[in-house]
Amino acid sequence: MSLNGKVAIVTGSGAGLGLAYAQELARQGAAVIINDVSQEAAGSAVASITEAGGRASAVVAPVGSSETADLLVKTAVDTFGGLDILVTNAGILRDKSLLKMTDEDFDLVINVHLKGTFTCVRSAYAYFKENGVAGRIVTIGSPTGQRGNFGQTNYAAAKAGIVGMVRTWAMEMKKAGVCVNAVIPVAATAMTKTVPFFQAAVEADERGEAMPEFFRKELGFGPAQDVAGLIAFLSSEEAAGVTGQAIGVGGDRLQVWSHPEAVATEFQDGGWDYATMLAEGKAILEANLQSVGERMPELPAELRPENAK
């Protein structure tokens, strides 16, 4: 087992994607600290690992604060003797269009996703550096953070911010031998269950059947377990050369996302004043406009919600 003897923290791991990550890390030999806000979910997650022969313990607390981050690290060290891996998966949704989104909606999502990632990574990295551990940090992004999505201002800001932090941390942590990456999962979750586009895939998964190939291959969409293998790999010593990356996975698809690069560069003697923008700059911009949002292919007729079995 590639992670035998390692100790991992997985935030937001009481259910869903986080649970799949924690179970796979345990399957590969790591002892796991489960984190969730629900005592029942956390207890069930721990039981699912220990009953399969793995090692796990739980911290029931919301991420965001430095106190929770420090508690997670302390629990890992006190319970299992150290810390080698951090996976920051915890998150919530408060989806609303801009004019309907309240300050609270925005702040809650930013606090859990963005600040929670920051505080947990800071605490884990402090432990790694102080103890000479060439640790592994896996943060969780989203296609929404890469391309935007209607009604998700708060979530898009948080997920884009996480990838930005990862690029910065990769430079800051390089000397310590710590690798940090962002995973961009595309998988069946509680959220996708409510989206009609994914109905046929979700219903097949709930019946215990393989999802239609259109979803697995065209969309790179599958169950949570399809993401877990990448999480375990990035947590291993074999991934020592991979850091600062945004890596997408889901269904049968693996992607490496590019870092933002200029698609057009022009120079103008004296700079780009208003008159020059009208005369030349406007045409340059219009010839290079970039799309926003995810580009979804048309569903085959037999997989459309009204025809889904």
Side-chain angles (χ1 to χ4, degrees):
M1 293 185 288
S2 63
L3 302 180
N4 195 34
K6 302 294 186 181
V7 179
I9 295 167
V10 183
T11 68
S13 50
L17 283 165
L19 177 57
Y21 304 159
Q23 290 172 333
E24 180 62 21
L25 291 171
R27 192 174 297 115
Q28 295 302 325
V32 183
I33 298 296
I34 296 290
N35 162 250
D36 203 273
V37 295
S38 165
Q39 181 72 59
E40 182 179 1
S44 177
V46 168
S48 75
I49 291 172
T50 57
E51 289 171 4
R55 296 181 297 156
S57 186
V59 171
V60 179
V63 301
S65 70
S66 297
E67 289 75 16
T68 293
D70 292 343
L71 176 61
L72 286 165
V73 173
K74 184 178 186 301
T75 303
V77 174
D78 290 349
T79 306
F80 297 118
L83 177 65
D84 305 278
I85 300 158
L86 169 67
V87 181
T88 58
N89 171 75
I92 60 171
L93 291 175
R94 294 293 186 274
D95 293 354
K96 291 177 185 175
S97 59
L98 177 59
L99 297 181
K100 295 179 180 178
M101 186 172 290
T102 66
D103 288 4
E104 183 181 23
D105 294 328
F106 186 84
D107 291 344
L108 283 170
V109 170
I110 293 297
N111 184 65
V112 176
H113 286 276
L114 190 62
K115 187 180 178 185
T117 296
F118 163 71
T119 55
C120 288
V121 169
R122 184 177 59 185
S123 291
Y125 180 55
Y127 175 84
F128 293 158
K129 194 169 183 181
E130 289 167 8
N131 293 276
V133 178
R136 298 289 181 264
I137 297 170
V138 183
T139 69
I140 305 300
S142 167
T144 295
Q146 302 296 97
R147 298 194 57 87
N149 191 35
F150 188 95
Q152 291 194 308
T153 294
N154 45 11
Y155 186 69
K159 291 304 190 182
I162 287 170
V163 176
M165 292 193 298
V166 161
R167 295 184 182 118
T168 299
W169 292 334
M171 293 184 284
E172 294 182 354
M173 298 178 184
K174 182 177 180 180
K175 188 175 181 180
V178 177
C179 295
V180 53
N181 294 283
V183 168
I184 315 298
V186 181
T189 64
M191 181 177 70
T192 54
K193 284 184 179 182
T194 66
V195 180
F197 188 89
F198 297 108
Q199 180 179 331
V202 171
E203 290 179 351
D205 187 48
E206 289 178 340
R207 292 194 299 268
E209 301 172 2
M211 291 185 181
E213 285 201 355
F214 171 82
F215 292 97
R216 293 193 60 83
K217 297 186 181 302
E218 296 297 320
L219 296 180
F221 179 86
Q225 290 72 21
D226 289 337
V227 182
L230 174 61
I231 301 294
F233 170 74
L234 292 175
S235 300
S236 72
E237 293 180 4
E238 288 85 350
V242 183
T243 192
Q245 303 303 301
I247 306 167
V249 68
D252 295 333
R253 186 178 71 186
L254 178 70
Q255 297 177 308
V256 178
W257 284 85
S258 66
H259 299 312
E261 298 284 352
V263 298
T265 302
E266 301 287 346
F267 294 91
Q268 175 68 37
D269 290 343
W272 295 89
D273 59 20
Y274 183 69
T276 307
M277 282 302 305
L278 288 175
E280 300 183 37
K282 180 174 182 289
I284 294 169
L285 297 182
E286 290 178 344
N288 293 283
L289 296 177
Q290 304 296 293
S291 65
V292 296
E294 289 192 73
R295 298 183 292 268
M296 305 294 277
E298 184 177 355
L299 274 173
E302 69 273 14
L303 297 178
R304 293 171 188 165
E306 63 271 19
N307 297 323
K309 302 296 184 184

